[in-house]
Amino acid sequence: MTPGGAAYPWLDELNPQQREAVTHADGPLLVIAGAGTGKTKTLAYRVAYLISRGVDPSRILLLTFTRRAAQEMLRRAGSIVARGTSTTGRVWGGTFHSAANRLLRTHAKAVGLERDFTVLDQGDAEDLINLIRHDLGLHKQEKRFPRKAACLAIYSRCVNTAESLEHVLAHEYPWCDEWADELRELFKRYVARKQARNVLDFDDLLLYWSLLVESESAATELSKLFDHVLVDEYQDTNTLQAKILRGMRTGNDSIMVVGDDAQSIYRFRGATVRNILDFPKQFPGTTIVTLEQNYRSTVPILETANRVIAQARERYTKDLWSEKDVGQMPRLVTCTDETEQDAYVIDRVLTHYEQGIPLRRQAVLFRAAHLSDSLEVELTRRNIPYHKYGGLRFLEAAHVKDLVAFLRLLENPRDELAWFRVLQLLDGIGPSTAARVIDHVADHRNDPRSIASFSPPPAAEEAFSALAETIAQVAPMGIENPAAQIERIRAFYDPLLPKVYDNPYVRTRDLISLEQIASGYESRRLFLVDLQLDPPSSTADLAGIPTKDEDWLVLSTIHSAKGCEWDAVYLIHAADGFLPSDLSTGSEEEIEEERRLTYVALTRAKDFLYVTWPLRYYHKWYAPSDRHTYTQLSRFLTADVLRTLEEVNGAGESPGAPTDGAEPPFDIELDVAERVRQMWESYDV
Ligand code: ATP
Ligand code: MG
């Protein structure tokens, strides 16, 4: 008999298999089940159950794909346990990267870092690779050497898959095969440069953590921090993450992971579906729970989704069934062009809105961020509010990066990229002067205020002394509210905006948003860490939870829609070339991943599903000509799938009535930094 009944009446909200998982005794547990079967719900209830049984919340590690997902689950768990969210707030919840950041700061010494290391985002990491690429003269080769983004992608792939450079080149980047020696040298210097500057890139967070737990004694100590480890979306973890989890369960095998092999969509980042399939081998004695009832979608929607995934080459989870037996058949909407597609989608969104479905419970999904461009224009024209997830993130905007670079150089004055960025905003300062300023600061005990004694070129004198003055004001404010620091930096930076960029007004609004988010933080470091690791993915994230009268339509890439659900879903541009993306049709594996992406998109819908495609697509990059191509329906919508769809035209069709780590660092000496350097010395990674 499961403990529950009168003691935990909320267990009755679960089906027997879910309840089994929630009340599982210690030991490894794998929940492998299809979309919408309640995996995430089960995890949230498990957290609530553990806390109700007396587990200290701060000894639970809950790893999710985004911070938003962790917050939502903890909110759910908090509403179940009597003591509420103030208790669940103490759970270690977040992404692998944010947990890595917290642990590595506490144990910085053991991994050869200073506690105040800063984290490079993708763009910064590429810039650093580029600097070294130039130093090595690789940009001048007769045959073209891979560009910075490709170099970083290769590096990242080696690190995340724990495969040798040769293997990665041969299997994933055969056209770069001839550059193995140069790439190895480049990566060796990249690592040395990051270590000298006390910076880590995203992959390093996982790499250092995994190397830390390679030490048996460190792994034992870290494992002692947590009584329970729980992981959502396990199908999208990579080899390095699996290794970390094994290490983190040294001497304690209480771990629960949930996932769906049919929804694995991050192969391009090194995720491997083998992780979930091999979990029982990695953790002997694993209990496996499977779930087959889908609580999200209506029967007709599920039928379409089941038929799409039925064509997958390999699959572990079974077809899903649902009790939501009534509902409109999903529609396949053929439109003459994008304009018609936009009009159709907006018309349906408004119809459903009139029928009582708020905008935020409806979502338009697409394969690539730019595919919503024309829809966004039309929504704006019609005054329909929307928020977009995925694609260009707020933090990637140049002006936001400038301001963050200011904070970074104050936090870690050895962060040369941050200095480069800020210094080159000033008239009269180019890369060579910037490099001299950086050396000057290094020669003055890395005190950023020392720039006051640097003699800039005459053309830069005025701006330079204003910069020095700003830094002198802000540098001593490390522990004060970062919003106050941003305010002072803006007094210097805002007047530069019109000189450096177009649209200064819009950009200023972003900076005001940044200042507002910063006001929620006690220290600059915490603020920076959150920004780098869990960047807000849209302005909606910045605004927090919408109030009752706020409402907006959701626009999202399929990748960013993972784990979410909406009453009405519109999957647009369901044409070959977009779905699958023509960038991902090189190998059978890539096509399989695109199929799973389609499955993810379809299974987000609860009651209404529209799949639309324009027959003609105008290529904007040929503008102003009217060059267009005729498209074909997505290959995933086979005859078998079409039988489950109601086919309609986008025009003239009148749709029927829709039915900071507090733990003390342990005393273990490891030279993880040396291990990272050695990786590029020998031939096995
Ligand atoms: P995905 O694979 O898309 O991440 P999931 O398996 O994590 O989906 P959830 O998001 O946890 O599924 O649940 C899907 C929906 O089904 C939610 O609205 C959830 O509240 C509901 N649900 C799950 N289990 C039950 C249940 N036993 N009774 C009623 N509703 C349920
Ligand atoms: Mg889920």
Side-chain angles (χ1 to χ4, degrees):
M1 204 190 88
T2 51
Y8 304 118
W10 38 268
L11 285 176
D12 295 339
E13 294 159 25
L14 304 166
N15 69 32
Q17 295 76 25
Q18 293 173 332
R19 201 152 50 232
E20 180 193 340
V22 167
T23 57
H24 177 70
D26 295 346
L29 176 70
L30 165 67
V31 178
I32 182 158
T37 52
K39 296 182 296 299
T40 303
K41 175 171 174 158
T42 302
L43 266 187
Y45 275 61
R46 171 89 175 151
V47 171
Y49 178 77
L50 292 172
I51 294 174
S52 304
R53 304 267 292 171
V55 175
D56 175 353
S58 66
R59 298 183 53 78
I60 297 175
L61 175 62
L62 171 67
L63 296 166
T64 56
F65 214 71
T66 59
R67 179 168 48 149
R68 218 167 6 122
Q71 284 170 341
E72 173 54 24
M73 280 164 74
L74 293 175
R75 195 193 53 72
R76 245 174 162 184
S79 66
I80 301 166
V81 294
R83 284 162 295 161
T85 41
S86 58
T87 311
T88 53
R90 290 183 14 237
V91 171
W92 271 60
T95 60
F96 273 85
H97 291 89
S98 64
N101 170 72
R102 207 166 147 187
L103 287 170
L104 290 175
R105 274 185 212 281
T106 311
H107 305 291
K109 196 161 151 277
V111 292
L113 295 166
E114 307 279 333
R115 259 184 89 96
D116 58 359
F117 65 80
T118 37
V119 181
L120 303 179
D121 66 21
Q122 168 102 3
D124 298 326
E126 284 179 10
D127 289 347
L128 185 57
I129 288 252
N130 211 25
L131 282 176
I132 304 166
R133 203 168 155 268
H134 277 253
D135 288 352
L136 290 172
L138 294 169
H139 60 298
K140 292 196 221 125
Q141 299 290 329
E142 259 172 46
K143 288 185 73 180
R144 219 182 77 190
F145 188 74
R147 288 180 185 265
K148 61 181 182 179
C151 294
L152 188 67
I154 295 169
Y155 173 82
S156 174
R157 190 117 196 141
C158 293
V159 170
N160 281 299
T161 57
E163 294 286 0
S164 69
L165 178 60
E166 285 66 27
H167 180 94
V168 167
L169 291 178
H171 290 85
E172 304 285 340
Y173 298 89
W175 61 95
C176 303
D177 221 5
E178 61 189 299
W179 299 109
D181 291 342
E182 289 81 357
L183 284 167
R184 182 178 303 285
E185 183 61 25
L186 178 73
F187 297 159
K188 196 166 130 186
R189 292 194 185 208
Y190 177 55
V191 165
R193 191 95 161 228
K194 283 183 294 182
Q195 291 187 348
R197 296 289 173 186
N198 200 29
V199 294
L200 295 186
D201 64 24
F202 267 44
D203 298 324
D204 287 335
L205 288 164
L206 300 186
L207 178 64
Y208 279 71
W209 188 4
S210 76
L211 291 173
L212 186 61
V213 295
E214 238 180 38
S215 142
E216 177 91 20
S217 44
T220 307
E221 288 301 319
L222 289 181
S223 296
K224 281 188 200 151
L225 295 175
F226 303 108
D227 296 331
H228 297 273
V229 175
L230 302 100
V231 191
D232 198 4
E233 308 274 8
Y234 192 66
Q235 76 281 352
D236 284 325
T237 53
N238 61 35
T239 312
L240 213 51
Q241 287 162 313
K243 188 175 152 197
I244 290 169
L245 289 178
R246 276 199 310 279
M248 291 299 289
R249 294 294 71 190
T250 306
N252 169 347
D253 65 353
S254 179
I255 177 167
M256 170 177 181
V257 307
V258 311
D260 176 7
D261 58 304
Q263 293 185 69
S264 156
I265 54 175
Y266 277 93
R267 203 188 81 89
F268 71 97
R269 278 205 203 145
T272 166
V273 75
R274 292 258 44 105
N275 271 358
I276 192 161
L277 301 180
D278 292 344
F279 185 84
K281 274 191 233 149
Q282 311 254 359
F283 291 91
T286 294
T287 304
I288 303 177
V289 173
T290 55
L291 310 169
E292 279 160 34
Q293 177 169 3
N294 171 299
Y295 291 91
R296 178 179 294 149
S297 311
T298 61
V299 169
I301 292 175
L302 217 48
E303 185 61 27
T304 305
N306 278 337
R307 287 193 188 199
V308 166
I309 203 65
Q311 307 157 35
R313 213 175 27 163
E314 253 188 316
R315 188 175 154 225
Y316 180 89
T317 43
K318 306 221 170 53
D319 271 8
L320 304 172
W321 57 277
S322 164
E323 283 178 353
K324 289 174 69 177
D325 212 359
V326 284
Q328 174 183 290
M329 256 179 105
R331 290 193 184 158
L332 174 70
V333 188
T334 304
C335 305
T336 42
D337 55 20
E338 218 180 352
T339 312
E340 194 176 294
Q341 176 176 258
D342 295 340
Y344 183 87
V345 168
I346 292 175
D347 178 65
R348 296 310 303 161
V349 166
L350 293 177
T351 306
H352 285 309
Y353 178 78
E354 291 300 320
Q355 289 163 345
I357 305 180
L359 296 178
R360 65 176 175 278
R361 296 217 321 253
Q362 306 192 45
V364 182
L365 306 183
F366 32 85
R367 171 68 181 88
H370 69 88
L371 291 175
S372 67
D373 287 352
S374 84
L375 180 64
E376 289 177 54
V377 172
E378 193 54 23
L379 288 169
T380 310
R381 208 178 59 77
R382 301 225 211 157
N383 242 338
I384 301 172
Y386 68 89
H387 280 301
K388 184 169 172 176
Y389 294 83
L392 185 73
R393 289 167 189 267
F394 173 73
L395 262 196
E396 285 160 9
H399 51 291
V400 177
K401 288 192 76 156
D402 289 346
L403 220 131
V404 171
F406 261 104
L407 297 176
R408 270 178 35 199
L409 68 86
L410 292 164
E411 190 60 31
N412 174 14
R414 286 194 275 162
D415 190 336
E416 62 184 335
L417 286 177
W419 277 110
F420 262 117
R421 182 159 197 117
V422 168
L423 289 165
Q424 291 185 66
L425 289 169
L426 307 184
D427 277 344
I429 295 201
S432 59
T433 312
R436 283 198 293 122
V437 178
I438 294 168
D439 288 344
H440 177 88
V441 174
D443 291 344
H444 290 80
R445 298 190 322 279
N446 286 312
D447 182 348
R449 286 169 293 189
S450 65
I451 67 162
S453 57
F454 180 85
S455 317
E461 256 167 23
E462 198 181 325
F464 197 86
S465 76
L467 173 68
E469 197 180 315
T470 306
I471 288 182
Q473 284 173 356
V474 185
M477 297 171 63
I479 49 163
E480 273 182 50
N481 179 331
Q485 303 177 33
I486 293 181
E487 192 187 340
R488 297 211 190 167
I489 295 167
R490 284 189 48 211
F492 167 78
Y493 178 69
D494 284 10
L496 294 180
L497 265 178
K499 291 191 211 160
V500 191
Y501 302 114
D502 56 357
N503 284 334
Y505 171 70
V506 175
R507 293 173 195 268
T508 310
R509 266 198 338 222
D510 285 344
L511 300 181
I512 293 169
S513 294
L514 193 72
E515 197 175 317
Q516 273 165 358
I517 331 172
S519 63
Y521 287 83
E522 283 166 20
S523 84
R524 182 170 65 207
R525 176 178 302 168
L526 286 177
F527 174 61
L528 279 175
V529 162
D530 264 8
L531 274 189
Q532 303 294 125
L533 299 186
D534 286 306
S537 59
S538 83
T539 39
D541 283 4
L542 304 179
I545 297 165
T547 58
K548 273 217 183 92
D549 21 310
E550 273 179 304
D551 197 12
W552 55 64
L553 178 66
V554 175
L555 268 51
S556 175
T557 59
I558 304 175
H559 280 101
S560 295
K562 198 165 100 156
C564 301
E565 59 187 19
W566 293 276
D567 292 4
V569 166
Y570 309 81
L571 173 61
I572 61 172
H573 286 289
D576 244 47
F578 302 119
L579 197 66
S581 157
D582 49 14
L583 299 174
S584 304
T585 45
S587 69
E588 206 180 327
E589 277 157 338
E590 284 174 333
I591 293 175
E592 287 298 310
E593 177 139 326
E594 296 283 310
R595 188 193 318 282
R596 293 191 294 266
L597 257 180
T598 309
Y599 177 70
V600 168
L602 300 176
T603 52
R604 300 306 97 201
K606 291 167 92 170
D607 298 313
F608 300 98
L609 173 64
Y610 299 87
V611 179
T612 69
W613 68 299
L615 282 168
R616 243 190 338 239
Y617 182 74
Y618 291 91
H619 295 276
K620 295 174 195 76
W621 47 92
Y622 294 127
S625 87
D626 68 345
R627 196 147 158 201
H628 65 261
T629 39
Y630 284 97
T631 56
Q632 288 194 329
L633 183 61
S634 167
R635 68 185 76 178
F636 303 132
L637 302 176
T638 55
D640 191 42
V641 176
L642 290 182
R643 276 193 277 280
T644 67
L645 295 168
E646 181 190 350
E647 294 188 46
V648 299
N649 287 322
E653 176 260 349
S654 132
T659 52
D660 245 53
E663 300 72 22
F666 46 65
D667 202 12
I668 298 171
E669 298 238 338
L670 297 171
D671 202 348
V672 169
E674 172 59 21
R675 284 272 288 112
V676 178
R677 287 192 294 274
Q678 276 173 3
M679 281 176 54
W680 305 103
E681 295 289 353
S682 64
Y683 275 78
D684 45 74
V685 176

